[in-house]
Amino acid sequence: MTGIWTSTRSICTKVARQDLSARYPTDLPAWRALKTHYRDDMKSSSLRTLFAEDSRRADEFSVVSGDLLLDYSKNHLTGTTRDLLLELAKEAGVAEAIEDLFSGKHVNTSEDRPALHIALRSKISDQVAVETPGVIEIWAVLTRMEKFVTAIQEGELRGHTGQDLTDIVNIGIGGSDLGPVMASRALRQFWRPGMNFHSVSNVDGTQLVDLTESLNPAQTLFVVCSKTFTTQETMSNAAAAREWIAGTLGADAVKEHFAAASTNQEAMDAFGINADYRFGVWDWVGGRYSLWSSIGLSLALVIGMEHFQSLLSGARRMDMHFRQAAAEENMPLLLAMISVWYNNFFGVETHAILPYDNRLDRFPAYLQQLQMESSGKGVRSDNRPVTVATGQVIWGEAGSNAQHSFYQLLHQGTRFVPVDFILPVRSSGATTAQQDLAIANCLAQSEALMEGHASADTCRAHPGNRPSSTIVFESLTPETLGQLIALYEHKVFVENVIWGTNPFDQFGVELGKKLAASLEDAVSTDRPYEGQNASTQRLLERVKRLRST
Ligand code: F6P
């Protein structure tokens, strides 16, 4: 396989560092070459022809990393496309950016700090950014987590009435919810006997109300996950949970029924979190990258620390691949560049994530935050406006539910939607006839999307030529899940390097939060709305009228 970067060298040992961040992607020679290549060669490409012309295509456009195989052959690209995309990555400084990430440079430019989720799953001997304040504490926090998890599991730490704590309720939102929830569902077969995982995230309070109907407070441990410990949703849910515990078991029980993960010691004190039940997080961990930190505590409590450590090792394995593999074999890099290809040259706006395993049902939602909070940016790291489309709308659902919902649009609609199929072949550790059906459906769908079907009856014709990538692995284990998540984290990182944007901030979510805080008063009291928006004013009047009847 020939690539722009030679396969014997790590992609991180390339061209001398230059001022790469100042360049717009559209100024790069490879970008211009890709534009021409798209217009002249690929705009009307036929996947069927590409396969017919190259009997080795499926091999040629597949790559393996650890336990994962990525088959990207059913995409609109040729060897030339791949070379040009990798050249673009090279010209955009991806290799240098990877080094910056791993060496603890302040890649989160707007907040002037590193993004060190990779350190969280490194071994101390890897020496990933160990000089960054806090990094050296990672392993001590893991050790404390391990002791805590073991003590709960072995009944050394029990609830207020002396009963075992068997029901773990994660209270958090965004990255402090999606990671633990997605991973706990994915790893259902690793739950320790007798342990249960629950979660509460939404602000309206109904989740907790519904949950407490079936929970025994004496056996419930709430884990309040909030990097800031100020997030409105989490704080209001945690306060309601505390009321429930205090109301059922007495105020003294709070210290035995709440644990927390946060950077904010003062707020944890004020809430009443027992000093032995709290775990630190660092400001250089972004919310959507925080599963690897103590934000993963609720998951660790349910699957056990050994499996949590395997999740970290899986991610580390992908980290090493990302840092060391040659460009043309570098899975996150390839996945990212295919996405840039569709996003910026084909003008595609959305990307579907379709896992064929119900245990990955929250994976699309997890990737939604990872991708859209990281890449939904209109301003570059150097504060200039972007000149190209960034981000994509990520959506999806577990197959085959998805087939009976929106696949009609994928097969015959007018939209062009690239798809990632994700296929563990033995999700529950065993092969079953039903899983055979899931696998057959996944393979059938990617084939149908590509091949299409001719019919004289136009309503029944499938145009085909619709692209997809497929990620296959043996079984859904902590190790493979770690690899899968890290794959997408790095994919998002590379895309942002190409676009010149910062994947590690999320100021776009702040304005709405601020307005909600000021509107809360107008909703809950007789005080007037102080804003200027006539529609809000009218809606508020309606809300108040409906509430008063
Ligand atoms: O909604 C924005 C956000 O800051 C996310 O990035 C984050 O995952 C979530 O809120 C929760 O934040 P915290 O962990 O501080 O409660």
Side-chain angles (χ1 to χ4, degrees), residues 11-23 90-107 323 493 497:
I11 63 168
C12 302
T13 56
K14 298 294 161 323
V15 291
R17 191 173 301 273
Q18 340 155 2
D19 186 14
L20 297 153
S21 59
R23 299 179 72 180
K90 186 175 174 186
E91 289 175 3
V94 168
E96 293 77 3
I98 295 172
E99 270 317 289
D100 288 349
L101 178 73
F102 279 80
S103 60
K105 289 249 163 61
H106 287 204
V107 290
R323 197 177 187 186
F493 177 72
V497 174

Side-chain angles (χ1 to χ4, degrees), residues 173-176 226-228 231 234 287-288 369 373 506 509 513:
I173 197 160
S176 300
S226 176
K227 192 178 145 185
T228 54
T231 304
T234 304
R288 53 198 173 275
Q369 188 202 20
E373 207 171 72
Q506 62 283 321
V509 300
K513 285 186 194 172

Side-chain angles (χ1 to χ4, degrees), residues 244-307:
W244 181 64
I245 289 291
T248 49
L249 303 176
D252 271 0
V254 168
K255 61 183 182 315
E256 286 140 322
H257 289 266
F258 280 84
S262 181
T263 54
N264 190 341
Q265 297 294 336
E266 255 176 45
M268 286 192 280
D269 276 341
F271 187 90
I273 304 284
N274 185 336
D276 292 335
Y277 286 44
R278 61 173 78 158
F279 298 86
V281 187
W282 301 271
D283 68 353
W284 38 253
V285 189
R288 53 198 173 275
Y289 301 90
S290 63
L291 174 64
W292 325 101
S293 70
S294 58
I295 295 290
L297 179 65
S298 52
L299 171 69
L301 281 162
V302 173
I303 63 173
M305 204 61 193
E306 197 188 318
H307 292 312

Side-chain angles (χ1 to χ4, degrees), residues 337-357:
M337 296 316 293
I338 295 167
S339 173
V340 166
W341 178 228
Y342 288 131
N343 199 64
N344 297 112
F345 298 91
F346 284 72
V348 163
E349 301 209 331
T350 86
H351 195 113
I353 304 291
L354 305 170
Y356 270 73
D357 188 315

